[in-house]
Amino acid sequence: MAYNVPKLADFSPAGLETAARELLGALEAEASSVGNETEWKVFRDRWMARKNGVLTLLNDLWLKAAPPESKREVGQRVNQLKTRVEGCVEAALKKVQGGAVGSQLLAERVDITLPGIRRPRGAEHPVIKTLNEIVSVFRDLGYSVEQGPVVETDYYNFEALNFPPHHPARDMQDTLFIAGQGAKAQRDRLLLRTHTSPVQIRTMEKMKPPLRIVIPGKVHRNDPPDASHSPMFHQVEGLAVDTNITFADLKGTLDHAMKSLFGSSVKTHFRPSFFPFTEPSAEMMVTCFICGGSGRRGADPCRPCKTTGWIEILGCGMVDPNVFEFVKDNGYDPKKVSGFAFGMGADRIAILKYGVDDIQLFFNGDVRFLEQWR
Ligand SMILES: [Zn+2]
């Protein structure tokens, strides 16, 4: 039963003493039942609120109602009680706050005998792994690794690679252009690079011949995604420039690289092709490393090579003298130097190597797929 301030009938010292003891008993009892801050606020308001708090009622019901001869006595008593109530309310707050700190400490306690948290180890993405394998083959041959921006200018992506403006060769690469570039001169307009070849020009601008570089990187084309196409994919490209570089150097280098990548029994084969920045140009085939060149897997036809026993693996050729003209001032006089270049799609090689049947699996981030390469 909650305490109510009684109207006093007996204002004698003995009467006051009894009423005060009753009040203090109620105060103690209520204070001891306060368990948290919300309860404490209710408790505080009950005793100290200006309107209808116990202290206010003491003033009204005891002091103001006291007969003149008892006023002094009652006033002193009410003041004493006021001090007691205030002290008790304050102490109750400390008690609940102390309790809260205690339980927080308990909750944050560290059991140092428990084993540590093991973070799951990540794995190298199969495409990046393939990229790195290709790069390391060429690094072993003395090639250095170069990289360049993915957002490129028209100049580096096309013009300096012997794709003149309006030339139909540009149609071979369905390009993603950056919007709002119309006010710029065509060569300064930005696009997402369609191949890693702009890095060839960028490197020849800053490094003099002889040069041997390998360029891994991400490229974009406006190809709708399907099992064998992705608007974003990866290339590795290489460039060697020196005096007296011939097609024999190209063949020897790439044949060695393919044997390093796919095994020493792999054979290579070149057939004529076209790229604007190489002349002559070729596509290189390797014997299918899935069926060993037989075109069959047991009784079944070999799908990756379409039963031909050969897989087209990269494009290559001798650097077109027109390309050297763009970097002639840095020592690349086409009359004095020659070179070869090659490029391959890392995603395609990863697909063949790991027997993946959908390129989208590489990029949609499904951990169940990626975990296989841990
Ligand atoms: Zn095959």
Side-chain angles (χ1 to χ4, degrees), residues 226-228 303 351 354-361 369:
D226 62 26
S228 51
R303 280 206 307 150
I351 280 177
Y354 297 116
V356 174
D357 51 16
D358 187 344
I359 191 174
Q360 301 303 323
L361 289 166
F369 171 77

Side-chain angles (χ1 to χ4, degrees), residues 288-296 302-307 309-311:
C288 178
F289 41 82
I290 316 249
C291 63
S294 68
R296 304 200 70 78
C302 178
R303 280 206 307 150
C305 66
K306 302 188 182 81
T307 72
W310 292 93
I311 286 177

Side-chain angles (χ1 to χ4, degrees), residues 97-374:
Q97 282 180 339
V101 169
S103 63
Q104 194 183 353
L105 277 176
L106 207 64
E108 290 178 359
R109 185 181 54 170
V110 176
D111 183 349
I112 57 166
T113 63
L114 288 172
I117 298 165
R118 279 178 205 273
R119 306 219 173 270
R121 271 181 69 194
E124 205 171 23
H125 191 282
V127 170
I128 302 301
K129 193 175 155 84
T130 307
L131 264 182
N132 288 339
E133 281 169 10
I134 300 167
V135 165
S136 73
V137 165
F138 288 97
R139 219 167 28 199
D140 290 349
L141 290 170
Y143 285 59
S144 57
V145 180
E146 290 292 331
Q147 289 187 299
V150 174
V151 179
E152 236 338 330
T153 62
D154 185 283
Y155 175 78
Y156 285 108
N157 196 76
F158 289 125
E159 191 180 333
L161 289 163
N162 201 29
F163 292 79
H166 312 300
H167 193 281
R170 290 189 176 210
D171 290 348
M172 299 191 316
Q173 304 184 355
D174 199 351
T175 309
L176 293 162
F177 293 92
I178 306 290
Q181 302 283 305
K184 293 181 181 171
Q186 180 163 3
R187 56 162 51 187
D188 296 328
R189 290 181 197 168
L190 297 174
L191 44 82
L192 295 180
R193 68 177 180 190
T194 55
H195 45 188
T196 42
S197 312
V199 185
Q200 293 190 14
I201 304 293
R202 287 182 175 277
T203 309
M204 286 193 283
E205 282 180 348
K206 64 177 188 192
M207 288 162 68
K208 293 191 186 305
L211 187 74
R212 275 176 297 179
I213 54 169
V214 61
I215 307 157
K218 197 184 284 181
V219 302
H220 294 80
R221 290 190 197 175
N222 187 20
D223 290 332
D226 62 26
S228 51
H229 293 86
S230 163
M232 186 279 297
F233 55 102
H234 299 79
Q235 284 190 340
V236 191
E237 156 145 359
L239 171 70
V241 183
D242 203 343
T243 49
N244 297 321
I245 296 248
T246 69
F247 205 88
D249 297 311
L250 180 157
K251 288 179 81 172
T253 304
L254 293 180
D255 187 72
H256 168 83
M258 293 306 118
K259 287 184 162 65
S260 304
L261 276 173
F262 302 118
S264 56
S265 60
V266 156
K267 292 191 183 74
T268 54
H269 167 75
F270 292 80
R271 68 179 180 201
S273 184
F274 169 79
F275 303 106
F277 38 96
T278 47
E279 179 61 36
S281 304
E283 268 161 14
M284 191 177 77
M285 325 281 288
V286 295
T287 41
C288 178
F289 41 82
I290 316 249
C291 63
S294 68
R296 304 200 70 78
R297 296 169 84 179
D300 299 324
C302 178
R303 280 206 307 150
C305 66
K306 302 188 182 81
T307 72
T308 62
W310 292 93
I311 286 177
E312 183 195 320
I313 206 91
L314 57 76
C316 56
M318 302 305 291
V319 179
D320 194 305
N322 288 347
V323 172
F324 285 137
E325 288 288 345
F326 286 94
V327 286
K328 197 175 176 179
D329 294 343
N330 200 29
Y332 294 87
D333 182 346
K335 292 193 183 67
K336 292 180 184 154
V337 297
S338 56
F340 65 80
F342 56 89
M344 60 198 109
D347 321 75
R348 202 176 111 71
I349 294 175
I351 280 177
L352 293 168
K353 215 175 148 167
Y354 297 116
V356 174
D357 51 16
D358 187 344
I359 191 174
Q360 301 303 323
L361 289 166
F362 285 141
F363 305 129
N364 60 16
D366 188 331
V367 175
R368 292 167 301 177
F369 171 77
L370 296 171
E371 264 178 347
Q372 299 173 78
W373 284 275
R374 262 221 288 234

